[in-house]
Amino acid sequence: MTMKPVIEILEEKISAAMAAVTGQKDCAAIVSPATDPKFGDYQANGIMALAKKLKKNPHKLAEEVVNNLEVSDICEPPEVAGPGFINMRLKAGFVANNLLLISKDAVNLAVEKTAEPKTIVVDFSAPNIAKQMHVGHLRSTIIGDCICRMLEFLGHNVIRQNHIGDWGTALGKVILGLWHMCMAEKRGGKPYYEDDIEDLKAYKDNKRELENICDRICIRDKEDWEEDFEESRGDGRKRFRPFLKKLRDREKGKIWEKITILYQYVNLLEESLVGMGLMTTTRKKKKSYGEGEEPFEYISISFEDLSRHITSMLQKIDDPDNEQEKDAWELITTISLEHCETVYDQLNIKITNKHFNYQVVRGESFYRDKLPEIVDELQQKKDSQGNPIAEKSEGAICAFPKGFKTKNGTRLPFIIQKSDEAHLYATTDLAAMCYRVNELKADKIIYVTDARQKLHFEMLFAVARMAGWDERQKTGDGRQKTEEREQKTEACPERSRRDRGQRTEFVHVTFGSVLGENGKPLKTREGENVKLKELLDEAVERAKKIVEEKNPELPAEKKDQIAKAVGIGAVKYADFSNNRTSDYVFSFDKMLAMEGNTAPYMQYAYARIKSIMKKGKDRGIDTNKETSEETALDLMEQAELDLAKYLIRYGEVIQSAAADYRPNYLTTYLYELAQKFSVFYTNCPVLDAGPNKRPTRLLLCDLTARTIKHGLSNLLGIEVVEQM
């Protein structure tokens, strides 16, 4: 049996009384927890607005509402205060009955589930292939996971989507990097790119010497490319293709380390080449050729554009002649996702395919065959004035949603196809949106990204609504056998196949930046983004030192378990406890502190309560029996009643946190719950209480521990430990 949140019960009853007194429809009581306990537990603030509308005295109207209000089973007699506030204080008996309901529900703590479950797609984390996850991925990953956990707990059908970046220019650079790795191994000795990196950095300010270095690299590359073929120049059959096949059998961790270095190498080389005019030879597929004719033409391109040329080949990945690029791309994707999975496992995040029976990881590449249709459809569709939604502008194809202007006051373009016919993030995002609406049957799509992408998503949503792509088809389960339906279809099926009465809601959940103690985005001393795995490893190491100091006698395995729970928990909780829309300063000292609103404090609070229960058993008290068989609670002490009132608020806090996508509502509640428990424990002996009081107090201990554990473990994804 579930327990309806008290705040909802009061909202309904007071709103109904307001309507009965005034004859007005849609009255809103606007009930909220009281800000000061001396005014009671809840306060209704909606009378003033209604009185102003009706030109009545708000205090008198509030008195009339109270006279027509029946809440005697819940509250002491309501009081009218100030200009028209209604203050309510819960009855101890009502609170006690609700506590017993919670006690009987070991899994859900009697939290009421939603009456209208929705299919909600949550897009979060989204790392880029071939790049290490860094601190910039932390907030999207853990906030997105927390949102999923809360919505799932409330009964919604949540579909997690990891929209990885596996289709951009970075891939061209990494494929080129792997080619350098192959050629360096062919040449033997120390990999040439390591020497090149040292030289390019050492002579970055010496233009003449830098040109000599780049010219040498260009000549060497031409020689290696011309030598690597069997049937036609550039086919890679002699060296690169066999190399890629052998690479699959090597240790993935070592390849990952190489990929990082090689990506940096290509980046550094391209930056050094700017303006030098060095050219190199490559091949390009002809648009048309006869049977028996050479399908390629051999062209000269700027050496600094080589990775971009490879990226353009990647865009035609399904062409058999680009098989080596496809092999390299698949290998890089596999290795990159394995790296991401190690980070997700550390963070206790569920956003990989191994956790679910549906496809969680859907990269940009998944939508590649749908992009031309997206562009065509937007050009064909008309807006409310009869103009095409997308049109050519300076060679590119753009949409111009209403209300978006440049600084000069001209229309702001939302570019969906560049002048060279390449597609962009915008195109992929539109294709993903169509897929989620039509194939996954999303009632709501939530995007969790940093605030800097605010404009992009505002324009994305506007264009989708202009095109009618927020309309859902009538039938289907979003997760049921989605893989069976993953085949070439129209980008967005015709409107006749949709339910015109239902629209998908688009939500952009934004967050601020993680700052260093200098108040700037957290970086290494070299100015690079802090690698997320390194940051988490350091958190665990610091936590282990604290465990060593406090409990040196613990077994090594136990120390490692506690250190991991505390270290990772500290990083996550510190993020959650801040308002997600604000920046916050990352400080290991603060987040690992045993005082204040931190994970270690909350984990210790839980462990402390569990130790009380353990001591009781050691003293021969059957704590499980006393808590499970209690049927009449005694909440005479104020500290008991205060703690009990806070325990029954858990469900309303979850609903509020889920509705606003704000984990800090939950961390604030848990911290205040722990503080109220501390006051209770100080003033109300538990194990030494008499047989009439002890069961009630043991039950309060048990429910506090269960609530803290549920909030930390089930909703925030933070481990609890029974010993600190």
Side-chain angles (χ1 to χ4, degrees):
M1 186 173 179
T2 60
M3 181 183 72
K4 191 167 189 173
V6 178
I7 199 167
E8 285 189 18
I9 298 172
L10 294 174
E11 181 75 35
E12 290 174 5
K13 287 181 175 288
I14 299 171
S15 296
M18 290 165 66
V21 167
T22 63
Q24 297 288 309
K25 294 181 179 179
D26 301 323
C27 294
I30 312 178
V31 178
S32 61
T35 54
D36 190 328
K38 70 182 180 183
F39 297 127
D41 300 310
Y42 291 91
Q43 186 177 72
N45 306 315
I47 296 292
M48 281 77 76
L50 182 59
K52 184 177 180 181
K53 177 182 176 182
L54 299 176
K55 297 181 180 179
K56 284 192 169 189
N57 182 299
H59 191 91
K60 287 185 178 180
L61 180 58
E63 288 177 337
E64 291 179 45
V65 170
V66 166
N67 290 335
N68 281 269
L69 182 61
E70 180 47 60
V71 288
S72 59
D73 57 332
I74 302 172
C75 307
E76 303 294 345
E79 299 175 355
V80 176
F85 300 112
I86 300 175
N87 294 332
M88 290 151 288
R89 195 178 304 275
L90 300 180
K91 284 185 173 180
F94 173 80
V95 174
N97 289 337
N98 278 284
L99 274 188
L100 291 173
L101 276 179
I102 296 171
S103 178
K104 292 173 183 175
D105 188 352
V107 177
N108 296 312
L109 299 175
V111 174
E112 187 180 52
K113 304 295 184 178
T114 180
E116 298 179 358
K118 294 182 177 180
T119 294
I120 303 175
V121 172
V122 184
D123 180 326
F124 67 106
S125 192
N128 289 316
I129 291 304
K131 294 182 181 179
Q132 290 197 51
M133 291 182 73
H134 55 75
V135 71
H137 294 109
L138 174 65
R139 304 205 76 183
S140 174
T141 301
I142 66 174
I143 292 172
D145 179 67
C146 181
I147 289 170
C148 291
R149 287 170 180 264
M150 290 191 293
L151 293 172
E152 286 165 346
F153 178 66
L154 291 174
H156 295 289
N157 171 32
V158 176
I159 302 177
R160 300 167 184 234
Q161 293 287 271
N162 194 352
H163 189 77
I164 60 172
D166 66 346
W167 205 239
T169 55
L171 270 296
K173 292 181 180 183
V174 180
I175 292 172
L176 179 55
L178 286 181
W179 182 84
H180 282 298
M181 182 178 171
C182 170
M183 296 307 154
E185 291 188 9
K186 175 200 76 170
R187 288 175 174 268
K190 180 183 178 182
Y192 64 67
Y193 48 83
E194 293 182 8
D195 289 331
D196 289 349
I197 289 172
E198 292 177 10
D199 290 344
L200 292 169
K201 287 181 176 179
Y203 295 99
K204 66 177 182 178
D205 297 321
N206 186 331
K207 186 177 180 181
R208 178 173 295 180
E209 189 58 37
L210 190 63
E211 286 181 350
N212 290 336
I213 293 166
C214 290
D215 188 52
R216 167 174 54 80
I217 293 172
C218 186
I219 292 170
R220 183 190 63 217
D221 280 20
K222 286 180 182 177
E223 291 174 355
D224 287 338
W225 186 81
E226 291 288 0
E227 185 262 350
D228 182 22
F229 76 94
E230 287 184 352
E231 296 178 7
S232 61
R233 292 166 64 202
D235 65 19
R237 292 181 181 274
K238 184 175 181 181
R239 302 207 180 270
F240 193 42
R241 289 195 189 187
F243 169 79
L244 290 173
K245 288 179 181 177
K246 291 179 181 177
L247 210 55
R248 291 182 180 275
D249 298 326
R250 294 193 194 177
E251 186 183 330
K252 298 296 190 292
K254 291 184 178 179
I255 302 175
W256 177 251
E257 292 173 9
K258 290 280 189 182
I259 285 175
T260 304
I261 295 169
L262 291 160
Y263 180 80
Q264 292 172 347
Y265 171 56
V266 174
N267 258 339
L268 180 60
L269 179 58
E270 289 182 351
E271 289 169 6
S272 304
L273 285 164
V274 173
M276 289 187 184
L278 291 176
M279 306 297 287
T280 191
T281 305
T282 188
R283 68 178 190 171
K284 181 181 179 182
K285 190 80 173 279
K286 294 177 182 176
K287 289 187 177 180
S288 61
Y289 53 91
E291 187 176 349
E293 289 183 7
E294 169 66 61
F296 296 98
E297 57 181 328
Y298 295 88
I299 59 174
S300 182
I301 65 169
S302 172
F303 192 30
E304 67 188 82
D305 289 335
L306 190 53
S307 70
R308 283 180 281 279
H309 175 70
I310 294 171
T311 301
S312 70
M313 296 169 71
L314 191 64
Q315 301 297 319
K316 303 176 182 66
I317 200 74
D318 299 311
D319 187 328
D321 288 310
N322 293 333
E323 186 179 352
Q324 63 181 344
E325 284 75 24
K326 186 174 184 178
D327 288 346
W329 169 66
E330 288 176 345
L331 177 64
I332 294 163
T333 301
T334 299
I335 294 170
S336 297
L337 287 176
E338 285 184 7
H339 160 73
C340 291
E341 284 190 17
T342 62
V343 176
Y344 293 143
D345 288 344
Q346 270 187 298
L347 286 168
N348 189 21
I349 301 295
K350 295 179 179 178
I351 191 172
T352 59
N353 296 334
K354 69 181 180 182
H355 291 116
F356 302 95
N357 61 356
Y358 63 92
Q359 193 77 13
V360 177
V361 179
R362 291 188 200 277
E364 295 169 326
S365 62
F366 175 79
Y367 306 100
R368 64 185 185 269
D369 60 338
K370 301 172 177 63
L371 303 185
E373 299 167 25
I374 289 288
V375 176
D376 290 344
E377 189 171 345
L378 287 176
Q379 288 180 289
Q380 293 167 14
K381 286 199 170 195
K382 310 291 184 183
D383 62 18
S384 56
Q385 275 74 46
N387 301 313
I389 293 173
E391 60 189 77
K392 274 204 170 184
S393 177
E394 298 182 16
I397 297 176
C398 311
F400 293 92
K402 286 183 180 179
F404 296 93
K405 303 286 185 182
T406 66
K407 291 180 179 178
N408 299 326
T410 58
R411 297 185 305 167
L412 185 65
F414 191 65
I415 306 173
I416 58 172
Q417 183 174 293
K418 291 163 56 175
S419 56
D420 62 1
E421 298 187 356
H423 300 109
L424 301 94
Y425 293 128
T427 333
T428 309
D429 282 343
L430 285 167
M433 184 178 283
C434 283
Y435 182 85
R436 291 162 181 176
V437 170
N438 291 315
E439 297 298 322
L440 300 184
K441 313 299 180 192
D443 296 297
K444 181 186 292 188
I445 307 174
I446 300 170
Y447 297 84
V448 186
T449 79
D450 71 59
R452 289 171 295 182
Q453 297 186 48
K454 184 173 182 289
L455 178 62
H456 168 78
F457 281 100
E458 285 177 347
M459 297 185 76
L460 176 74
F461 297 167
V463 171
R465 292 186 185 110
M466 286 168 65
W469 289 348
D470 55 339
E471 297 182 39
R472 288 196 307 285
Q473 294 176 44
K474 290 184 179 180
T475 59
D477 177 355
R479 286 195 294 198
Q480 185 179 7
K481 298 182 180 178
T482 56
E483 285 78 9
E484 292 180 8
R485 293 186 273 107
E486 287 172 5
Q487 52 192 1
K488 265 197 170 182
T489 59
E490 293 174 88
C492 281
E494 286 306 308
R495 198 167 303 193
S496 60
R497 294 167 58 197
R498 300 188 183 133
D499 181 351
R500 291 173 178 267
Q502 293 182 312
R503 289 186 178 274
T504 299
E505 181 184 356
F506 303 140
V507 180
H508 185 205
V509 175
T510 63
F511 52 81
S513 299
V514 181
L515 307 178
E517 295 192 10
N518 59 1
K520 297 179 180 179
L522 190 62
K523 303 274 188 180
T524 64
R525 289 179 181 177
E526 293 75 27
E528 297 176 353
N529 285 320
V530 175
K531 303 296 185 291
L532 188 49
K533 188 173 188 314
E534 292 174 5
L535 181 142
L536 297 176
D537 288 343
E538 184 176 350
V540 173
E541 283 301 312
R542 286 175 178 251
K544 191 170 183 180
K545 288 178 182 177
I546 296 172
V547 175
E548 293 274 10
E549 291 171 7
K550 292 187 177 294
N551 291 298
E553 75 288 350
L554 287 175
E557 186 178 345
K558 191 71 174 176
K559 288 177 184 175
D560 289 341
Q561 178 197 349
I562 295 172
K564 181 176 181 293
V566 172
I568 301 299
V571 172
K572 295 179 73 172
Y573 193 95
D575 195 301
F576 289 143
S577 62
N578 284 278
N579 185 331
R580 64 168 167 78
T581 58
S582 303
D583 299 340
Y584 75 93
V585 175
F586 189 95
S587 168
F588 277 123
D589 291 339
K590 289 181 180 178
M591 63 180 56
L592 286 167
M594 293 295 294
E595 305 83 27
N597 191 12
T598 65
Y601 174 81
M602 292 306 309
Q603 289 164 321
Y604 175 72
Y606 173 77
R608 179 188 181 194
I609 300 171
K610 296 303 287 185
S611 72
I612 296 169
M613 309 301 276
K614 183 177 182 300
K615 286 175 185 175
K617 290 178 180 177
D618 292 343
R619 288 168 54 171
I621 300 170
D622 192 341
T623 56
N624 289 335
K625 184 177 181 181
E626 290 197 12
T627 55
S628 63
E629 294 184 358
E630 182 66 359
T631 58
L633 302 182
D634 179 3
L635 299 173
M636 296 300 292
E637 295 288 338
Q638 189 61 47
E640 294 172 330
L641 186 56
D642 287 345
L643 177 58
K645 286 178 178 179
Y646 216 69
L647 282 166
I648 69 171
R649 282 193 55 206
Y650 186 48
E652 71 186 52
V653 171
I654 295 172
Q655 289 190 359
S656 180
D660 290 347
Y661 316 108
R662 292 188 185 274
N664 63 301
Y665 292 177
L666 186 56
T667 56
T668 298
Y669 169 83
L670 293 173
Y671 177 58
E672 291 177 355
L673 176 64
Q675 289 183 308
K676 289 187 184 296
F677 178 83
S678 185
V679 172
F680 154 77
Y681 190 61
T682 300
N683 291 282
C684 303
V686 177
L687 299 179
D688 293 331
N692 293 331
K693 293 293 296 183
R694 191 173 65 205
T696 293
R697 292 179 181 177
L698 280 172
L699 184 66
L700 286 168
C701 290
D702 180 54
L703 292 185
T704 302
R706 282 162 56 184
T707 302
I708 290 173
K709 181 177 181 179
H710 188 274
L712 290 177
S713 297
N714 293 48
L715 302 184
L716 299 177
I718 294 172
E719 285 185 70
V720 295
V721 289
E722 299 201 2
Q723 185 177 7
M724 288 283 282

